Amino acid sequence: MNNVSHKVSSPFLKPVYSVPGVMATVLLALLPAAICYTWFFGAGFLINLLITSTLGLLLEALVMRARGKPVFFYLGDLSILVTAALLSFALPPGSPWWIATSGIFIACVFGKHVFGGLGHNIFNPAALAYVSLLILFPLQMTGWYLPGSGSYAEAPIDPLSAYGVYTSLQLSFPWLRDFALTPFPVRPDGFATATPLIEYKFAAPSRILMAEPDGFTLWERGARTGWEMLSVSFALGGLFLLWRGIISWHIPFTVVAVVFVLSSLFYQPGQEAIFGSPWLHLFSTSTLIGAFFIATDPASSPSSALGKVIYGALIGIAMYSIRIWGSYLDSVALAILAVNMCSPLIDQLTARTPLGHPSRVKRWLSAWKKTA
Amino acid sequence: MTRLRRSFFITKYFKPWLLRLTGRAGWATTLHALPGGIAPASHKTLSLQQKITRMPSGELGLPAQLILPLRQHLGPDSVPVVSVGDYVYKNQLIAAANGEKGVSLHAPSSGYISSINYALPPINEAHDPERSWQQALNRHHNAIVIDTDGKHAVRPGLLGANVDWRVRSPDELRQAVFDAGICGMGGAGFPTAIKLGASAIKTLIINGAECEPYITADEALMREHAAEVIEGALIIQRICGAQSCVIGIEADKYQAIDAIQGVINQIMSELQPANAGQAGLSLTLIPPIYPSGGEKQLIRIMTGIEVASGKRPVDVGVLCHSVATARAVYKAVSAGEPLTSRITTLTGHALKTAVNVEVMIGTPVSHLLDFAGVQHSQLQRLLVGGPLMGYEASDLDTPVLKTSNCLLAGSELDIAPAVTQSNPHRDCIRCDFCATVCPVKLQPQTLYFAARHQHHDASVENGLFDCIECGACAVVCPSHIPLVNYYREEKAVIRTDNDTAKQAYWQSLFEKHQQRLSVNAIDQQQRKLDKLQHKLEAIAVGEPLTKTPVPPVVAPTTSKSTEQIKQEIEAAVARTRAKKAELQKKNDATQDADK
Ligand code: SF4
Ligand code: SF4
């Protein structure tokens, strides 16, 4: 336990932040995106969120019990809810319940507690769980059901109507169909095989891009509008976190900047299907949730400002490269996981120089001279 | 609301800049940004409502006793020059400075000496021996006690000659400062006369930053005695021969700024036009950020000079004194008055009235608390100093020292609940909030891990000893880790490791080795004994003396009888017993010595 045997000494000032407070702020920052996600893609997200949160809390309690730690004290830090929320954003709405279940299990146990719990994890738990799920269940993880999206004009179902929610429930819990009075009509059209969140290169030939309407309205439930609005709401949440001082600008800024620069560099108008426009890279993929919410996970990112900039740049490069030249289904989570692995090394190399000490360059030079 | 990154830019850069634009006091030099820092709620208005209350006056009478510890400064104890029963006048020397590095002590009021070796209870455990009050107070410490007679009588003719300081030589002035028993009044308690003896000083900085929340002693001083502060600064400038004298004040202390600026303008206009540039006196506004008032921090903000680790500011030609010290110097030089009183802030939400008082050094805290109307039911902790750098006074008879700038009677509103067994802190989540606010650009979380896991080398490498213990990191830590506590312990461990304890360690290893050897010897004897005993028993039972059948060739040559052999064995047993007993005794003796 973290108690202090030494005598109480200064500072006595009341602390300003608290871990639950920080986590609650992150949850608050995710709220616009959650609303947006539900609005565009139906209740499937909420069902996933419910599953991951409840099971997450339960699992956390079990693990804490097994580790012999005070359960409620550690549940109180709310970090598992953040992981659950981030994971739910990554899961396809309408995926069966056991996807979310195994996802939160991986995140909680293998992502977090095998390393020693909050603050000790090497990888971002949500990203780790998502990538594991992609490898374990590629089929389920790439099938997205978009009820009533604008691209399915022939079957307009309002995803938030009772029927829409009902179909979402049926998708999440397939056994419901056996009892259902009006079983959900399984139509191949109901599944979009790929989305920008999965990969642009798979998405390009899909119907989502083709569904680009002339003069679409902002709130119309078109798939593309949906992704863009979602990205915008992630960015809004990220800016909120920046304003509250929960994250620093270094990581999100460099990730976005590097992705933007690389995509502008390789972008050739008319060849969108190959390289994609900067706009598409930033707003029609999961770049922004990655940049603002996943890459900024404090435990798995470096500490110093310089380290954060390097880390962010590496993530940006990895994201773009995997997306364009790699053959994986996902780039954001993979890029972040890969760079997470470098983070301890970056931390070592970029540790801050305290005031009054020779600068890093000077130290390197003198070390160099000594060896030479 | 303490701010971390949010609107930090505004407090740090924009507000001072705006003040300059709107014509508020001077912005003489370019400012250099202080890395990190926090802007906690200042609570300064609490104690700034009223003017300074002087002691003795009206409701604030003299205390019945004054307790004057012999060490209130960094350096050797002062030596009492009075004895029990003596009558002393106000301002009379009662303890002389112990050599060059000492500080002398004077009677703040008249009365009889009732003790010269009153054992002051330990106030706070030593965490960082470099900090004087802890050094002074971490163990039973001798104090002189004066039973005041209430007359406040000054012996006629005790005052120094009232000569204009401008015509006195720097050495003479320095002697006056030494005689007045002045030490740094901002907290460190470094003897002022030693500091003033430094050579090749280019810049004199007068520290009026007072960045810590709640404390307003310096601000009140500047508001009401600006002229004395400036005069004192000029005296210091004359002593150390600095070319320029800059007064740094936090940009949000409007009244203090106006007062100081007024005095400076007046002095400058008097100097006009003959030696306008002579004074080199100016005022600089610094961002109201904690801890901009730390010595090295202030120097960094105002001059951009980074004082190298382990070096002192005088090494780079900068001298830093607080405004309170400047005023004490003024009083010592112009009126020959020794340092016997200081301005202290009484504040905190457990008090009915928060106010600044000019109190006699040695006044028991309880006396002041009674004056300010302390509500004991609300009193959570009584702090001497501010909430970030102060220490807890566990005893209400704790006297006000030369370095005590604030008494904070904290209620729940002011004081954080302590991290204890029932209120543990969380694990570090590596959020880096701490690193963002560290004014020394350390990585507090790295230091924390090193300290927690006793990686002493890593601690030192990561700059543990550059930590000024400002506490900014612990205030912003969302896991509520008492980071500074960890650092203090680690520092203490490393320090002891480096000297005495190291020898003791090797000594103990050697002794253990010796002991092991002797234990082995005892065992050896014991085994021998067992063997012989065994043999005896065997003979008694009537077994043959040798287990293996005796070869016939050898048998006839044995001249010893069974009886003889038995006797020999018994003799050997006795010898071995004696030897064992001796060894045992020796071993016991060494063990006792160990204890
Ligand atoms: S502020 Fe506290 S929790 Fe955050 S990195 Fe520093 S020590 Fe760890
Ligand atoms: S207490 Fe030490 S480590 Fe913490 S902010 Fe202050 S200087 Fe930095």
Side-chain angles (χ1 to χ4, degrees), chain B residues 198-339:
Chain B
S199 55
I201 298 296
K202 289 200 257 343
T203 315
L204 170 67
I205 291 178
I206 299 295
N207 184 347
E210 198 168 55
C211 49
E212 212 172 329
Y214 291 94
I215 311 179
T216 54
D218 285 353
E219 188 173 353
L221 172 68
M222 287 187 285
R223 265 191 348 189
E224 292 176 36
H225 302 283
E228 296 180 13
V229 171
I230 298 288
E231 197 85 341
L234 291 175
I235 296 172
I236 296 177
Q237 191 187 2
R238 177 163 170 80
I239 300 177
C240 66
Q243 286 132 26
S244 63
C245 170
V246 198
I247 296 155
I249 306 181
E250 278 194 339
D252 58 353
K253 297 186 179 19
Y254 305 119
Q255 293 181 359
I257 293 168
D258 288 348
I260 294 279
Q261 188 67 53
V263 176
I264 292 180
N265 289 344
Q266 194 190 334
I267 289 180
M268 287 311 207
S269 64
E270 277 167 16
L271 283 176
Q272 296 280 341
N275 33 9
Q278 181 253 5
L281 190 64
S282 59
L283 171 64
T284 296
L285 301 194
I286 56 170
I289 298 269
Y290 176 86
S292 54
E295 196 174 39
K296 287 186 180 179
Q297 281 64 42
L298 192 65
I299 291 170
R300 156 104 184 169
I301 293 175
M302 290 174 60
T303 65
I305 297 175
E306 219 174 87
V307 183
S309 167
K311 288 267 163 62
R312 285 176 309 149
V314 287
D315 297 335
V316 292
V318 182
L319 196 61
C320 203
H321 282 289
S322 78
V323 286
T325 314
R327 192 215 183 190
V329 167
Y330 163 77
K331 287 210 315 200
V333 168
S334 73
E337 251 185 74
L339 176 58

Side-chain angles (χ1 to χ4, degrees), chain A residues 208-295:
Chain A
I208 287 161
L209 268 195
M210 290 183 248
E212 200 175 331
D214 322 291
F216 58 98
T217 58
L218 213 53
W219 300 109
E220 187 197 341
R221 289 196 178 97
R224 176 155 179 180
T225 330
W227 287 116
E228 280 165 6
M229 288 309 295
L230 194 57
S231 285
V232 168
S233 53
F234 278 130
L236 278 180
L239 291 178
F240 174 72
L241 286 186
L242 274 176
W243 174 58
R244 297 300 303 179
I246 303 296
I247 58 174
S248 69
W249 59 268
H250 304 86
I251 294 176
F253 175 79
T254 26
V255 172
V256 169
V258 167
V259 169
F260 180 79
V261 166
L262 284 181
S263 51
S264 324
L265 222 61
F266 288 100
Y267 177 61
Q268 290 145 359
Q271 282 202 308
E272 292 197 7
I274 303 171
F275 288 117
S277 67
W279 175 262
L280 187 119
H281 274 283
L282 289 183
F283 285 96
S284 294
T285 61
S286 50
T287 305
L288 289 180
I289 183 180
F292 280 106
F293 288 93
I294 300 185

Side-chain angles (χ1 to χ4, degrees), chain B residues 15-337:
Chain B
K15 210 161 149 193
W17 178 74
L18 205 69
L19 284 174
R20 179 168 60 152
L21 270 195
T22 50
R24 286 229 180 236
W27 196 256
T29 45
T30 27
L31 280 195
H32 303 265
L34 174 77
I38 54 175
S42 72
H43 296 288
K44 293 205 186 221
T45 42
L46 271 183
S47 50
L48 279 176
Q49 307 296 341
Q50 300 177 32
K51 293 210 148 194
I52 300 174
T53 311
R54 289 184 62 97
M55 179 188 207
S57 75
E59 322 117 76
L60 183 57
L62 280 173
Q65 281 195 327
L66 289 168
I67 304 165
L68 296 142
L70 291 176
R71 192 195 293 177
Q72 308 184 14
H73 54 272
L74 207 64
D77 283 13
S78 311
V79 190
V81 293
V82 289
S83 40
V84 176
D86 284 2
Y87 184 81
V88 290
Y89 290 96
K90 175 174 161 57
N91 294 350
Q92 184 180 334
L93 183 73
I94 54 173
N98 188 354
E100 280 278 293
K101 290 188 172 159
V103 167
S104 49
L105 192 59
H106 300 79
S109 186
S110 59
Y112 292 94
I113 304 283
S114 67
S115 168
I116 57 165
N117 51 6
Y118 172 74
L120 211 63
I123 294 175
N124 204 9
E125 254 159 46
H127 285 302
D128 183 4
E130 261 173 19
R131 289 168 81 178
S132 62
W133 58 72
Q134 282 157 353
Q135 197 178 37
L137 300 173
N138 60 30
R139 50 175 175 235
H140 284 278
H141 212 82
N142 285 351
I144 295 180
V145 181
I146 302 177
D147 288 340
T148 54
D149 63 357
K151 292 198 189 110
H152 215 52
V154 188
R155 185 196 285 169
L158 200 71
L159 290 188
N162 203 350
V163 187
D164 185 12
W165 58 267
R166 276 165 242 265
V167 300
R168 291 165 78 180
S169 76
D171 280 345
E172 231 179 296
L173 292 173
R174 192 160 89 85
Q175 188 60 36
V177 171
F178 179 76
D179 291 342
I182 300 176
C183 60
M185 289 164 79
F190 194 80
T192 303
I194 300 181
K195 244 178 156 179
L196 289 177
S199 55
I201 298 296
K202 289 200 257 343
T203 315
L204 170 67
I205 291 178
I206 299 295
N207 184 347
E210 198 168 55
C211 49
E212 212 172 329
Y214 291 94
I215 311 179
T216 54
D218 285 353
E219 188 173 353
L221 172 68
M222 287 187 285
R223 265 191 348 189
E224 292 176 36
H225 302 283
E228 296 180 13
V229 171
I230 298 288
E231 197 85 341
L234 291 175
I235 296 172
I236 296 177
Q237 191 187 2
R238 177 163 170 80
I239 300 177
C240 66
Q243 286 132 26
S244 63
C245 170
V246 198
I247 296 155
I249 306 181
E250 278 194 339
D252 58 353
K253 297 186 179 19
Y254 305 119
Q255 293 181 359
I257 293 168
D258 288 348
I260 294 279
Q261 188 67 53
V263 176
I264 292 180
N265 289 344
Q266 194 190 334
I267 289 180
M268 287 311 207
S269 64
E270 277 167 16
L271 283 176
Q272 296 280 341
N275 33 9
Q278 181 253 5
L281 190 64
S282 59
L283 171 64
T284 296
L285 301 194
I286 56 170
I289 298 269
Y290 176 86
S292 54
E295 196 174 39
K296 287 186 180 179
Q297 281 64 42
L298 192 65
I299 291 170
R300 156 104 184 169
I301 293 175
M302 290 174 60
T303 65
I305 297 175
E306 219 174 87
V307 183
S309 167
K311 288 267 163 62
R312 285 176 309 149
V314 287
D315 297 335
V316 292
V318 182
L319 196 61
C320 203
H321 282 289
S322 78
V323 286
T325 314
R327 192 215 183 190
V329 167
Y330 163 77
K331 287 210 315 200
V333 168
S334 73
E337 251 185 74

